[in-house]
Amino acid sequence: MNITHICLAGLFMDGWGYQDNLIAKYHVSFGYDVTVITNRWVYDHEGNYVKTEKETETDRYGVKIVRIPIRGDKPYTYKLKHYIGLYETLCKTKPDVIFLHSTQIMDVEDIIRYKKENPDVKVYADNHCDYSNSATNWLSKYILHGVIWKRKAWKLNPYVEKFYGVLPARVDFMTERYRLPKDRVELLVMGMDDEKAEEAGKPEVKAKIRKRFGYDEEDFVVITGGKIDHAKRQTLLLIEAVKRIDNPRLKLLVFGSVVEDMKQPLEELCSSDERINYIGWIEADQTYPYFAAADLAVFPGRHSVMWEQVAGQGIPMVVKYWEGTTHVDVGGNVEFLYQDSTEEIQEMLKRLMTRGNEYQKMLENAREKGSEVFSYRKISRRCIGE
């Protein structure tokens, strides 16, 4: 079976741990012929958009990547960009299944045209927008999403088997902002790479990481990571909270790229306490052993895909409460933060680092339920109706 993933609303880079990468990876592992159609923009290690001239490549998992140009050579940040050659590329890849990652593209008519000419093809589409990352001003809410992207979703509606929201909040966004029928939209959670998680879960892997940083078995290791920007500036509050707790057994490991104007305050906070290690950017597939070596993951800012990854790995977690993102709590594995407050984080850490009953219950629930819910092996089959 040929499966084509269309990833034009965002970037697609080899080695990332995002949903589109991992679903494509597991589709290859199932024996399918898999192609990703995406754009010619990528991130550098500083988090900047960089244009690549590569037209085709194959990623580490055997996924064929076809990069098509923007019509008129518009910048990637231009919202209403059209792409050149989407329909023609579909004709070349001849998919039996099309998975559109994010409906917010101008060229849905090319997908519809291909579907009309090949009525046996199944089309699925998902949504990564919610009210925390989209529709945050009048123009975006009422024009971009209220008119333009709504019309695109409705054009797709007769031809799509199912729409998916990747968070409960993103299911609601499609039914509220785009007015799609509720029976046409389902939750399709993001997850963790089963193979990476299984390897990272081996005791010797955890021991190796802890030894690298001089962590004893008795140390309570907290980890946080990802792209550190203004949507996740609460990472600085976490670092400050750790600094305020006078306990040599508490350790903090921080990783991720940092936007330029946050680098100095972050590095100054980290360097002033030997219990805190900032290790910079690491590749997505390398994050698994670091998380596995920790006792607790803390994400005090906006949602990231690492929430589902950590939940799948069976690690207790503290995250910022956002309406529509509480699905990571599968029965007591998560505690929520309700304020942007150093004091709140500090009190939470002081309670959990004792490894008392509260922490033990979180750990038990995390290990029992997380991998069942957030397995990309299972998600990758479900998303195409298997």
Side-chain angles (χ1 to χ4, degrees):
M1 182 165 68
N2 286 2
I3 302 177
T4 294
H5 294 265
I6 299 174
C7 306
L8 294 173
L11 306 185
F12 188 94
M13 291 178 61
D14 186 10
W16 275 9
Y18 288 137
Q19 178 225 43
D20 41 7
N21 298 82
L22 292 176
I23 288 179
K25 168 189 172 174
Y26 279 100
H27 284 166
V28 169
S29 77
F30 300 154
Y32 301 142
D33 190 349
V34 182
T35 301
V36 168
I37 303 174
T38 188
N39 52 65
R40 293 185 180 175
W41 293 85
V42 296
Y43 273 135
D44 63 16
H45 285 303
E46 300 298 320
N48 302 308
Y49 295 120
V50 178
K51 192 173 183 181
T52 176
E53 296 305 317
K54 286 185 178 179
E55 295 183 9
T56 60
E57 55 188 304
T58 301
D59 77 3
R60 66 190 67 187
Y61 304 121
V63 178
K64 290 170 283 189
I65 303 171
V66 179
R67 298 187 179 274
I68 59 177
I70 297 171
R71 187 173 300 158
D73 202 31
K74 297 285 187 183
Y76 173 73
T77 51
Y78 182 68
K79 296 290 185 184
L80 305 182
K81 52 189 174 290
H82 284 272
Y83 286 92
I84 300 172
L86 175 56
Y87 168 76
E88 290 77 10
T89 306
L90 288 172
C91 290
K92 289 178 182 177
T93 61
K94 298 180 180 178
D96 303 297
V97 174
I98 296 171
F99 196 112
L100 173 61
H101 295 266
S102 297
T103 60
Q104 297 84 13
I105 66 169
M106 294 296 289
D107 303 292
V108 299
E109 290 80 6
D110 284 4
I111 302 170
I112 293 167
R113 178 183 174 188
Y114 184 83
K115 167 67 175 176
K116 286 181 175 179
E117 294 172 357
N118 302 272
D120 291 335
V121 171
K122 291 187 176 181
V123 181
Y124 300 88
D126 72 9
N127 169 54
H128 294 253
C129 292
D130 59 51
Y131 290 108
S132 75
N133 65 9
S134 304
T136 54
N137 58 56
W138 188 92
L139 185 64
S140 177
K141 185 174 184 178
Y142 294 104
I143 303 300
L144 189 60
H145 288 281
V147 177
I148 298 171
W149 298 143
K150 178 182 178 181
R151 286 178 177 173
K152 296 297 181 181
W154 271 98
K155 282 188 175 182
L156 283 167
N157 187 38
Y159 306 99
V160 168
E161 302 290 320
K162 186 67 68 173
F163 290 98
Y164 297 119
V166 299
L167 298 174
R170 294 171 185 180
V171 172
D172 294 342
F173 193 89
M174 298 195 87
T175 58
E176 293 171 5
R177 183 73 5 218
Y178 299 162
R179 302 294 182 188
L180 288 171
K182 290 185 178 182
D183 63 353
R184 302 279 290 131
V185 187
E186 288 183 5
L187 174 64
L188 183 78
V189 298
M190 294 177 283
M192 54 96 186
D193 186 331
D194 300 66
E195 292 178 355
K196 299 294 182 185
E198 288 159 7
E199 177 64 27
K202 296 177 180 178
E204 61 269 25
V205 174
K206 174 180 178 178
K208 182 179 179 181
I209 295 292
R210 290 179 78 101
K211 182 179 179 181
R212 181 182 305 170
F213 296 100
Y215 300 152
D216 294 334
E217 192 61 35
E218 296 79 12
D219 287 337
F220 189 84
V221 179
V222 177
I223 189 169
T224 193
K227 186 178 181 182
I228 303 170
D229 56 19
H230 293 282
K232 298 171 186 172
R233 65 178 305 109
Q234 295 91 340
T235 301
L236 302 182
L237 302 181
L238 169 61
I239 298 170
E240 184 60 42
V242 170
K243 287 170 61 65
R244 289 185 185 183
I245 299 174
D246 184 17
N247 188 323
R249 289 298 183 190
L250 177 61
K251 305 295 170 63
L252 175 63
L253 184 60
V254 183
F255 70 86
S257 62
V258 187
V259 293
E260 192 62 38
D261 61 342
M262 290 178 63
K263 281 183 179 179
Q264 184 175 345
L266 183 136
E267 290 173 357
E268 287 177 355
L269 279 171
C270 292
S271 63
S272 61
D273 192 321
E274 63 181 11
R275 299 174 302 157
I276 302 171
N277 293 97
Y278 171 61
I279 59 173
W281 172 263
I282 55 177
E283 295 290 342
D285 60 356
Q286 296 174 0
T287 63
Y288 285 82
Y290 287 93
F291 283 127
D295 298 289
L296 181 73
V298 180
F299 300 103
R302 199 169 73 185
H303 172 269
S304 86
V305 295
M306 289 182 181
W307 294 22
E308 287 87 352
Q309 176 185 326
V310 171
Q313 285 189 252
I315 313 299
M317 184 165 49
V318 173
V319 302
K320 176 73 177 292
Y321 175 83
W322 295 95
E323 187 175 355
T325 60
T326 58
H327 66 295
V328 292
D329 183 356
V330 293
N333 59 316
V334 174
E335 289 282 349
F336 292 97
L337 298 167
Y338 294 90
Q339 307 167 25
D340 288 337
S341 160
T342 300
E343 290 75 18
E344 185 187 24
I345 300 171
Q346 182 180 347
E347 289 305 310
M348 185 82 72
L349 293 178
K350 287 170 70 175
R351 290 205 323 269
L352 297 177
M353 66 180 289
T354 64
R355 293 192 177 92
N357 288 337
E358 183 180 6
Y359 176 79
Q360 294 303 324
K361 288 179 181 178
M362 290 178 69
L363 181 61
E364 182 180 338
N365 288 318
R367 289 176 174 174
E368 283 185 357
K369 303 172 183 177
S371 62
E372 181 70 20
V373 175
F374 298 105
S375 160
Y376 262 125
R377 278 199 189 105
K378 296 179 180 179
I379 295 165
S380 299
R381 290 199 182 278
R382 183 189 156 209
C383 75
I384 55 172
E386 292 189 345

